[in-house]
Amino acid sequence: MTPLQTLIAEPWADYGLLDSGNGRKLERYGRFRFIRPEPQAMWAPASDSWEADGDFIGASDEEGGGRWHLSRDVPRGGWHVRWNELLFMAQNTPFRHLAFFPDMAPQWAWMRGAVAEGDQVLNLFGYTGVGSLALAAKGAAVTHVDASKKSVEAGKANAFLSDLADRPIRWMVDDAAKFAAREVRREKRYDGIFLDPPKFGRGPDGEVWRLEEGLPGLIADCRRLLDKDSKFLVLTVYAVRMSALAIGEVVRQALGDLGGTIEVGEMAVREEARGLLLPTAIFARWSADRA
């Protein structure tokens, strides 16, 4: 494995981390500004006065919860934002996020540099599909899997907004781990796999997912879906109690026989006010060596 790295999401036209501190962060999503809890922002903010269109007030329980307090100007049904050529919806969700994860932008860009026209890519826990669309726009044939029918429908709507509805994307409402296991039995193979598993989740039929228990077996199945001609696997994890070194070793043990390079590290967003880095997730990714 390479030394620990920091993968930094820089501001772009429709997203930026404006300021952070005292356990909160101020972000812009398109024309709106929002305040959300952020436990890792333990420092003092650049400004003592934040103006925002909405504020998420977290509940006292450790697993999350809470509610949005929004101004009348914020469309409850969402609004359009853009990343490169993609157009998709941002929306205030009950889970405190905005229907996509902007710190994923460097991962989207990296994978786009690895795919070629016609490559088969599997996106597990694909959520609202921005990562799938980023790859489809570069010619990849994407299989998008998420247990939430609502999320998959949002992905289809985003594909329409981005003029990608006619691209070869399979939209699957399914339990990601079970789907991967079935693909192994079908002897399918992929050129690339992208997965962003939650700490805890339930499949469409009530299947229970716990990250620490399920991740090693899922990565093993992903290895069986890759071969010597495959190009990449990208794993991102937002469970802060887990180490990048730990998930890197899981990936190394499963994919080490393929050769190539395994990178591990932290993902972070650069704050606009001072340029400091706010950590958001950890990652491990394998890439094939290409002559």
Side-chain angles (χ1 to χ4, degrees):
M1 290 189 293
T2 63
L4 286 172
Q5 302 181 31
T6 303
L7 196 61
I8 302 169
E10 303 288 353
W12 76 80
D14 275 353
Y15 173 76
L17 173 63
L18 298 171
D19 197 1
S20 62
N22 292 340
R24 302 192 303 164
K25 59 185 174 182
L26 174 66
E27 300 165 289
R28 55 179 177 83
Y29 285 81
R31 64 187 187 276
F32 301 110
R33 295 181 171 203
F34 300 103
I35 298 170
R36 295 192 289 161
E38 179 48 72
Q40 299 209 76
M42 295 178 283
W43 44 79
S47 171
D48 293 328
S49 177
W50 289 355
E51 294 184 4
D53 300 286
D55 191 350
F56 189 91
I57 306 301
S60 58
D61 61 289
E62 186 178 337
E63 295 302 319
R67 60 176 298 180
W68 283 101
H69 295 265
L70 302 173
S71 75
R72 294 181 179 180
D73 296 332
V74 179
R76 277 23 179 204
W79 61 97
H80 294 168
V81 294
R82 186 178 294 277
W83 180 76
N84 288 357
E85 75 275 35
L86 304 182
L87 184 68
F88 49 95
M89 295 294 291
Q91 186 177 16
N92 303 93
T93 75
F95 309 103
R96 83 176 58 193
H97 51 75
L98 278 293
F100 73 101
F101 298 101
D103 59 323
M104 284 289 193
Q107 300 284 20
W108 302 334
W110 184 86
M111 289 186 291
R112 278 156 65 100
V115 297
E117 187 79 27
D119 279 354
Q120 299 287 326
V121 177
L122 176 61
N123 185 3
L124 298 172
F125 310 96
Y127 194 39
T128 58
V130 181
S132 294
L133 299 180
L135 295 169
K138 292 300 182 182
V142 182
T143 298
H144 174 105
V145 184
D146 197 279
S148 167
K149 182 178 180 181
K150 183 176 180 180
S151 292
V152 170
E153 291 302 315
K156 293 178 181 178
N158 285 334
F160 179 81
L161 286 174
S162 291
D163 293 326
L164 296 171
D166 60 342
R167 297 299 176 94
I169 305 175
R170 285 200 300 163
W171 299 100
M172 310 295 295
V173 179
D174 207 338
D175 177 81
K178 285 189 173 181
F179 181 86
R182 287 198 302 272
E183 292 288 85
V184 171
R185 292 194 295 271
R186 294 169 184 143
E187 298 184 349
K188 295 293 183 70
R189 56 88 54 194
Y190 289 91
D191 295 289
I193 298 177
F194 175 32
L195 64 160
D196 179 32
K199 179 180 179 180
F200 176 85
R202 292 189 182 274
D205 297 320
E207 302 93 337
V208 175
W209 164 266
R210 292 183 177 87
L211 184 66
E212 293 86 350
E213 299 171 7
L215 185 61
L218 178 56
I219 294 298
D221 278 340
C222 288
R223 165 61 186 91
R224 297 180 184 102
L225 296 174
L226 301 170
D227 61 23
K228 62 181 179 61
D229 296 318
S230 298
K231 298 179 177 179
F232 67 84
L233 178 139
V234 173
L235 166 65
T236 58
V237 172
Y238 284 81
V240 296
R241 289 193 179 98
M242 190 171 286
S243 163
L245 293 174
I247 66 169
E249 183 60 21
V250 171
V251 171
R252 188 197 67 79
Q253 289 189 12
L255 278 72
D257 65 303
L258 290 175
T261 301
I262 294 174
E263 301 170 276
V264 299
E266 293 198 23
M267 294 164 57
V269 178
R270 190 182 303 280
E271 182 193 276
E272 293 185 357
R274 296 163 290 185
L276 63 75
L277 301 180
L278 176 66
T280 60
I282 58 177
F283 77 95
R285 64 190 185 192
W286 165 81
S287 57
D289 289 334
R290 293 286 181 256

